[in-house]
């Protein structure tokens, strides 16, 4: 029997159901795990996603033919039973479960195990074959509980205020920003944000999410107003002239990569907070075990290492798969891409 | 009431913890002033015994390595139960061995917090150095179980490597100057030289009236910046003294109390490495300090740096080496005469005395570094072009009335180096950097053309901006042909101009040449791989400049 999902140059393809999951080239029918740019691409004729993901897809990809589902709701596509399950990665992120001729496959998309209160609580899904991400698939990546990181961030903000500095937190506009904003909402009355983050936050608020509004920074925002404040900005704004307005300031980056000192130092930032929306090493292993899968395909990240480890430790039969999913950190932060965000939103 | 006491107790932080916080702050702050403030805060609150060690560590004095890293790796693997190859993978991602260990061990539960000071661990390292493996293992493993992540990191660092926290000696001196009642130059003088942190107390080292005189101590070196303007703007040529800039090891030769000491600029005591100098103990007057260059020379003519490198690498020096590459001291300056500090006197006066002293006896192990006579800047510029023939790196310009300052200063002394040699080549391998570039591909190997073949000839790590490194990293990750271990074979496409200071024949390299100080001068985005230099070009350079 052919595999339920095959790995093609357009993406993960389910032949029986005649659809793709997170394709990286335009196709007829695309099932989308979540709205990050490396998983949800432009140009498909039809999109199926979780209902929370739709407003973000609209913001990013414009008007398309979208169909939405609830978590655990079952639909059939060409006889393949399809359902979405919470992945805990960002708002609306899902794992996708396929069942056909008594075989169950699950595509994890990106996921994290700790419940951040807005992205949905991750649920392990039993399956025969599990396709997992491995962004942080090395044992050096073991996250501290989020509460500890949140208090580190809050202490840092407090210290900056004492020293008369503004605190600029660098976080991805989709996902990390909403999480950070939730974490620090008690700290300060007003939180300022870069246009990209303002747009994203507003999209969620318009869609009915009870999130705190942020104040958009425009060229008219007086410098005096920004003294000793908290500002959320996307990685693209880091090191640009846009930041001059906040001087004196301190920069803190929220990213799993900050676990390694060298990364924080290389980026010349004042503080790194290892706050990640991906599963750490132990969570990846726990998850693989909890799915009960006998076969595990490992995609984007440290796939070679994680896959080899699963094989050697007899956790599952595993193989690594080349995909075009990058870590969204690396993709959106590619120095070769031109940063329009700044120009558009300042 | 009880509650209050308990809180106070748990807030007590140990010396090791203070040091771990200091290291974290130093390595994450990007501004010298922040670093200075962190050090001032540390020196104001840390236990005295720890401070002595911190000064020692940051100036390169650490206990001998008590445990080798292979064993530490083994014990770590045993505790966390991962295979060896996975450790290698982690190490190549993190870039730093001590940090890799600390991250891997971060889940190890703290079962028995001890709150020891930094000096406890350092003294323990010395104690266990001679012990057997099981004693060492017990100490290391138990220590890991008593520490938080940051502490584990500095603990591992103390055992295995050097701290690269980006703190200059000057910053440390300035921080200490705000803590103790001594001037910066006195502090710099006291903390350089040959003292032992195990037997020296903070008071002995930096107390106001210390009786512990160390007559081996060198003065802090006066260093010059590269000239960043046209020389004509320095004013009248006759205000300036010009000398050749030699390519050896900058050093100080000290004779006090009838003993001879030779220090390198890196504050390493090198007396024993150069038996050629022993005779100077008898020839030099007592109470004298000379600044100069440690350099191999035959008949008064300097030899290439490669000769010195080979010499330093050896433990035992053969008769043959002493004949073929005798080491000489090219004296530049006189810092102390008759036990009197001469640094505040003008250069002309110091130089005159220096010439007097050196010419009073004749010995091939020391000579005065000759002055260059010139009447105009044009004339000097023409002479500068002959530097390479003399194995010189260019010219030093010193204002004739200048005093001998401390550290790198602008204004009175300038180096006017010759333009480097350059060659265009293509990048063929890339490996991840270490330290602050641990997740980027920043260490490259370059090749020149030989017919249709590409022949690798050098590596280079520095010379590009962070932005360029990031762009190249992006290219490497998407254009790898092969990956073995941490090294990727990259599609030969990116062309670079490599600059270097010298070239020598080498049988360790396939190309047959070895470069001195190679670095990336420019990323030649305008050139394709067809336009790079050839192996013949390299050989031609070897013929012209290699000796
Ligand atoms: Zn994602
Ligand atoms: Zn992803």
């Amino acid at each position: 029997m052919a595999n339920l999902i095959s790995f093609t140059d357009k993406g993960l393809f389910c032949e029986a159901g005649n659809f793709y999951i997170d394709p990286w080239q335009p196709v007829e029918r695309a099932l989308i795990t979540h709205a990050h740019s490396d998983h949800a691409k432009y140009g498909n004729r039809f999109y199926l996603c979780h209902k929370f993901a739709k407003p973000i897809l609209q913001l990013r990809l414009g008007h398309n033919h979208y169909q939405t589902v609830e978590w655990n709701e079952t639909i059939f596509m060409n006889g393949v039973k399809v359902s979405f399950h919470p992945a805990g990665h960002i708002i609306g992120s899902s794992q996708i479960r396929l069942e056909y001729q008594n075989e169950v496959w699950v595509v994890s998309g990106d996921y994290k195990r700790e419940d951040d209160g807005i992205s949905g609580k991750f649920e392990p899904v039993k399956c025969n074959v599990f396709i997992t991400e491995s962004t942080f698939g090395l044992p050096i990546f073991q996250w501290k509980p989020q509460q500890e990181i949140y208090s580190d961030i809050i202490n840092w903000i407090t210290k900056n205020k004492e020293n008369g500095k503004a605190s600029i937190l660098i976080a991805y506009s989709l996902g990390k920003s909403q999480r950070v904003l939730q974490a620090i909402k008690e700290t300060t009355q007003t939180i300022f944000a870069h246009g990209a983050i303002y747009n994203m936050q507003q999209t969620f608020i318009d869609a009915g999410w009870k999130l705190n509004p942020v104040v958009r920074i425009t060229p008219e925002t007086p410098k005096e107003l920004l003294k000793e404040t908290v500002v959320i900005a996307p990685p693209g704004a880091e090191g640009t002239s846009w930041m001059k307005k906040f001087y004196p300031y301190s920069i803190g980056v929220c990213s799993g990569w900050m676990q390694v000192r060298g990364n924080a130092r290389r980026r010349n930032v004042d503080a790194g907070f290892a706050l990640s929306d991906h599963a750490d090493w132990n969570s990846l292993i726990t998850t693989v075990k909890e799915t009960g899968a006998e076969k595990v395909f490992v995609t984007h990240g440290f796939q070679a290492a994680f896959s080899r480890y699963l094989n050697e430790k007899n956790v599952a039969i595993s193989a690594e798969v080349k995909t075009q999913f990058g870590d969204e950190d690396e993709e959106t932060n590619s120095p070769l891409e031109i940063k329009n965000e700044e120009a558009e939103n300042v | 009431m009880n509650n209050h006491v308990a809180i106070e107790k748990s807030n007590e932080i140990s010396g090791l913890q203070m040091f771990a916080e200091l290291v974290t702050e130093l390595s994450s702050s990007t501004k010298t002033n922040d670093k200075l403030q962190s050090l001032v805060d540390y020196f104001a609150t840390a236990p005295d015994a720890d401070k002595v060690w911190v000064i020692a560590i940051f100036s390169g004095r650490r206990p001998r390595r008590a445990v080798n890293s292979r064993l530490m790796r083994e014990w770590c693997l045993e505790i966390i139960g991962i295979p060896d190859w996975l450790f290698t993978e982690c190490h190549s991602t993190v870039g730093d061995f001590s940090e890799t260990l600390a991250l891997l061990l971060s889940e190890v539960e703290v079962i028995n917090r001890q709150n020891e000071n930094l000096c406890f661990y350092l003294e323990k390292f010395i104690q266990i150095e001679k012990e057997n493996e099981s004693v060492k293992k017990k100490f290391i493993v138990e220590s890991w179980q008593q520490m938080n992540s940051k502490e584990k990191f500095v603990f591992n660092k103390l055992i295995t490597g050097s701290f690269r926290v980006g703190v200059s000696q000057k910053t440390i001196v300035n921080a200490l100057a705000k803590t103790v009642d001594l001037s910066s130059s006195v502090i710099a003088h006291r903390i350089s030289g040959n003292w032992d942190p195990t037997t020296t107390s903070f008071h002995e080292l930096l107390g106001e009236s210390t009786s512990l005189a160390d007559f081996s101590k060198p003065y802090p070196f006066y260093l010059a910046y590269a000239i960043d303007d046209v020389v004509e703007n320095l004013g009248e040529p006759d205000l300036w003294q010009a000398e050749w800039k030699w390519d050896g090891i900058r050093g100080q030769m000290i004779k006090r109390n009838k003993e001879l000491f030779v220090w390198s600029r890196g504050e390493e005591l090198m007396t024993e490495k150069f038996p050629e100098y022993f005779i100077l103990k008898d020839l030099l007057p007592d109470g004298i300090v000379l600044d100069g260059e440690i350099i191999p020379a035959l008949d008064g003519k300097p030899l290439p740096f490669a000769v010195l490198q080979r010499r330093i690498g050896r433990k035992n020096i053969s008769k043959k080496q002493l004949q073929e590459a005798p080491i000489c001291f090219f004296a530049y300056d006189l810092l102390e005469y008759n036990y009197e500090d001469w640094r505040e006197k003008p250069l002309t006066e110091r130089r005159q005395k220096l010439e007097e002293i050196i010419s009073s006896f004749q010995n091939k192990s020391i000579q005065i570094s000759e002055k260059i006579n010139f009447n105009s800047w044009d004339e000097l510029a023409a002479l500068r072009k002959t530097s390479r023939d003399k194995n010189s790196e260019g010219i030093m310009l010193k204002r004739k009335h200048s005093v001998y300052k401390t550290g790198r200063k602008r204004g009175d002394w300038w180096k006017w180096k010759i333009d480097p040699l350059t060659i265009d080549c293509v990048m063929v391998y890339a490996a991840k950097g270490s330290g602050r570039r641990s997740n980027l591909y920043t260490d490259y190997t370059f090749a020149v053309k030989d017919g249709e073949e590409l022949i690798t000839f050098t590596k280079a790590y520095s010379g590009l901006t962070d932005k360029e490194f990031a762009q190249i990293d992006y290219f490497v990750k998407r254009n790898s042909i092969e990956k073995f271990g941490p090294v990727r074979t990259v599609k030969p496409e990116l062309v670079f101009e490599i600059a270097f200071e010298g070239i020598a024949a080498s049988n360790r390299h396939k190309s047959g040449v070895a470069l001195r100080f190679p670095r990336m001068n420019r990323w030649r985005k305008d050139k394709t791989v067809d336009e790079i230099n050839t192996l013949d070009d390299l050989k031609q350079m070897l013929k012209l400049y290699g000796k």
Side-chain angles (χ1 to χ4, degrees), chain A residues 239-254:
Chain A
T240 67
S241 56
W242 180 81
M243 309 219 320
K244 278 194 191 139
K245 219 174 185 155
F246 314 110
Y247 187 82
Y249 56 77
S250 190
I251 311 172
V253 172
C254 304

Side-chain angles (χ1 to χ4, degrees), chain B residues 1 17 60 137 179 194 216 239 338 423 426 449 497 517:
Chain B
M1 218 44 218
Q17 207 176 340
K137 181 175 178 181
T179 324
N194 195 20
S216 79
L239 295 177
N338 223 349
I423 192 154
V426 66
K449 265 194 311 186
E497 180 182 274
F517 284 143

Side-chain angles (χ1 to χ4, degrees), chain A residues 142 261-262 266 312 336, chain B residues 30 85 99 107 436 440 474:
Chain A
Q142 297 169 21
R261 282 166 190 252
R266 173 171 59 71
E312 281 186 12
L336 292 182
Chain B
T30 51
W85 62 264
E99 190 181 357
E107 292 275 279
R436 76 183 196 104
L440 280 185
Y474 187 83

